[in-house]
Amino acid sequence: MKYSIKTGAVNNIITDCIVVVVWNKGELSEEAKLADKLSDKSLSKIVRTEDFTGKLGETLTIYNPAGLKTKRLLLLGGGDDKKLNSKNAAKMLKAGLDAANKLNAGSVHFCLASIEVKSQNSIWICKRLAQETETASYRYNETKSKKAKAVATKLISIFPASGTRRKSIELALKQGAAIGSGINRARHLGNLPGNICTPSYLASEAKELGDKYNSLTVKILSEKQMSRLNMGSLLSVSAGSAEEAKLIIMEYKGAKSDSKPHVLVGKGVTFDTGGISLKAGAAMDEMKFDMCGAASVIGTMATVAQLKLPINIVGLVGAVENMPSSTATKPGDIVTSMSGQTIEVLNTDAEGRLVLCDVLTYAERYKPRSVIDIATLTGAAVATFGSHVNALLSNNDALAGSLIECGENSLDRVWQLPLWEEYQSLLNSNFADIANLGGPRAGTITAACFLSRFTEKFKWAHLDIAGSAWDSGAQKGATGRPVALLVEYLSQQKV
Ligand code: BES
Ligand code: MN
Ligand code: ZN
């Protein structure tokens, strides 16, 4: 998509579609008023019929509006102008883009100069428009013989609020577009089936990114190399699979090479059958999405490389397939993690933590400023939060606070659960240092407690994205969360 800034009067803009906002009860925004005046009060007339009331997300197209040089004028409902917070503004933009896409408009101009979003500066809406534009143009095509039609829109222009520098608006558009494309990359990987998106496939996708960006170095460790590092826990998960496990290491350098990095760790279980503790059949296909944490790390690394963030960042992905077979790990088996701690595998379906713990230990070598792991870790997180909010657990309150705030700004929200001492004893084992199962209750917390045994050497936060990583039902598909949150967090870090 191409983006441009156009600050000409609305009657001089030549484009396929102009978008103006109309508030609740048909109250015209400044731009809509101007269009109304130029077009012989055609907007006022429509609003008076109450066919269009300006409800949030409502749209109506006027063809060949008099007095304007556009083929279409799209009225976009903004709802109550006093209630236009970031969430409603994003919803409004998305509705406008979806409507414009249906119209086959090659170029679309958004008149947003008078639109104020609560507790955001005037740049925010430009950034969000670009992000929404990218995500609205995503289509899944890879394994379909009949490809979905690509969106017709090729050019988005914007009339931003006055008083903002052109440079900062251009930057905001770039940032938003890069975030959107990172989200789409994560969705693409998440949506691919398990027989295509294997650990080796994820590794080659990461490698390709490394080839594309000079600032990004990608290394892949084989099972043999991981076994030399004593990653007995991670390897116990792939023991039953014919697919080789991979440790994907993506090192992004945006600062001096001795500057300590921030580290992202993604759970990349490309299919989770449960292993010998086999899952029930219903909706098991959705366990192809069990690598969405990994996909969000890869998507985020692509975005930060595109944006040339001035810090160092390492993305690590533990990529494995969890299968039952005669070589699979069995309940009761005891494995030794890279940290030296022994683990009793009481349930082979609690495999995510077994993968993550070794990758987290590997992260120690970077002496990281912070480590965030992202994982579709527990069904309990879905039960707790549904699909809107991700679970956050952390050993550092400042880090947790900053992630909560970034979640608000990016509309990719997280909420904290306690990581209190009382829960730790649920992981006691009679035969090993720790069990991989904390019993039937407080599953998201006990899973994080398990990880906390491997993260004592750094500031760490865990995001359980089991509820938000994909949608089920008719709209089944990966969401690309929490790429927006991660990019927001990394963008705020200074060297
Ligand atoms: N990948 C699943 C978690 C999951 C389940 C995510 C359903 C989204 C929807 C994970 O590996 C798993 O199986 N977790 C178990 C842990 C349990 C055995 C302690 C779970 O949540 O049931
Ligand atoms: Mn599992
Ligand atoms: Zn899993």
Side-chain angles (χ1 to χ4, degrees), residues 436-456:
N436 82 328
L437 197 64
R441 307 191 315 173
T444 304
I445 297 176
T446 55
C449 282
F450 180 94
L451 299 176
S452 76
R453 309 283 183 106
F454 303 84
T455 60
E456 283 170 1

Side-chain angles (χ1 to χ4, degrees), residues 267 269 272 279 287 290 322 349 351-352 376-377:
K267 170 179 173 182
V269 176
D272 181 13
K279 284 185 180 295
M287 281 300 116
D290 211 16
N322 187 20
D349 197 13
E351 85 297 341
T376 48
L377 205 62

Side-chain angles (χ1 to χ4, degrees), residues 413-427:
R413 293 157 89 189
V414 295
W415 200 250
Q416 196 172 7
L417 292 176
L419 196 62
W420 290 329
E421 202 49 43
E422 291 89 318
Y423 293 97
Q424 291 284 353
S425 59
L426 292 168
L427 297 168

Side-chain angles (χ1 to χ4, degrees), residues 161-465:
S162 61
T164 28
R165 284 168 46 230
R166 206 181 174 91
K167 270 250 151 50
S168 18
I169 297 162
E170 277 166 3
L171 179 66
L173 290 168
K174 257 193 205 132
Q175 286 171 332
I179 293 167
S181 83
I183 291 172
N184 288 347
R185 185 181 292 273
R187 289 160 86 187
H188 159 75
L189 292 173
N191 285 336
L192 287 174
N195 60 332
I196 293 177
C197 188
T198 58
S200 307
Y201 186 92
L202 282 180
S204 64
E205 286 282 303
K207 268 273 178 211
E208 254 178 49
L209 270 186
D211 293 341
K212 182 165 171 196
Y213 296 104
N214 275 333
S215 54
L216 195 63
T217 311
V218 177
K219 290 182 261 178
I220 310 294
L221 300 194
S222 64
E223 286 191 350
K224 207 164 159 191
Q225 287 166 303
M226 286 189 270
S227 94
R228 268 192 229 119
L229 288 166
N230 300 314
M231 294 190 157
S233 181
L234 184 153
L235 291 169
S236 77
V237 178
S238 65
S241 171
E243 292 292 339
E244 202 196 351
K246 304 282 178 190
L247 179 65
I248 304 171
I249 304 166
M250 291 171 279
E251 298 176 345
Y252 167 76
K253 287 247 149 44
K256 288 207 229 81
S257 48
D258 61 351
S259 168
K260 299 282 178 281
H262 293 272
V263 175
L264 304 176
V265 172
K267 170 179 173 182
V269 176
T270 59
F271 197 84
D272 181 13
T273 63
I276 297 296
S277 314
L278 192 64
K279 284 185 180 295
M284 213 214 264
D285 67 289
E286 296 189 5
M287 281 300 116
K288 73 172 185 177
F289 295 117
D290 211 16
M291 36 57 71
C292 282
S296 77
V297 171
I298 295 172
T300 300
M301 295 308 287
T303 299
V304 301
Q306 199 177 329
L307 291 176
K308 304 191 171 81
L309 290 193
I311 55 172
N312 291 340
I313 304 164
V314 176
L316 301 173
V317 165
V320 301
E321 187 184 62
N322 187 20
M323 295 288 277
S325 84
S326 70
T327 58
T329 301
K330 308 169 290 299
D333 284 2
I334 293 179
V335 300
T336 304
S337 66
M338 184 180 177
S339 72
Q341 297 175 82
T342 57
I343 302 165
E344 185 181 16
V345 181
L346 289 176
N347 189 320
T348 63
D349 197 13
E351 85 297 341
R353 62 198 79 182
L354 295 173
V355 173
L356 291 171
C357 71
D358 277 344
V359 186
L360 287 164
T361 300
Y362 186 86
E364 282 176 11
R365 66 185 53 210
Y366 293 102
K367 304 199 167 45
R369 287 169 200 257
S370 71
V371 177
I372 303 172
D373 78 72
I374 306 98
T376 48
L377 205 62
T378 62
V382 192
T384 307
F385 288 122
S387 58
H388 300 297
V389 177
N390 284 318
L392 157 71
L393 297 100
S394 176
N395 63 9
N396 184 282
D397 286 340
L399 173 58
S402 147
L403 284 168
I404 291 169
E405 192 196 309
C406 291
E408 293 290 338
N409 281 335
S410 58
L411 299 175
D412 197 347
R413 293 157 89 189
V414 295
W415 200 250
Q416 196 172 7
L417 292 176
L419 196 62
W420 290 329
E421 202 49 43
E422 291 89 318
Y423 293 97
Q424 291 284 353
S425 59
L426 292 168
L427 297 168
N428 289 352
S429 158
N430 287 353
F431 305 107
D433 299 340
I434 181 175
N436 82 328
L437 197 64
R441 307 191 315 173
T444 304
I445 297 176
T446 55
C449 282
F450 180 94
L451 299 176
S452 76
R453 309 283 183 106
F454 303 84
T455 60
E456 283 170 1
K457 298 203 174 120
F458 41 71
K459 292 181 196 164
W460 159 74
H462 161 63
L463 300 177
D464 192 332
I465 60 164

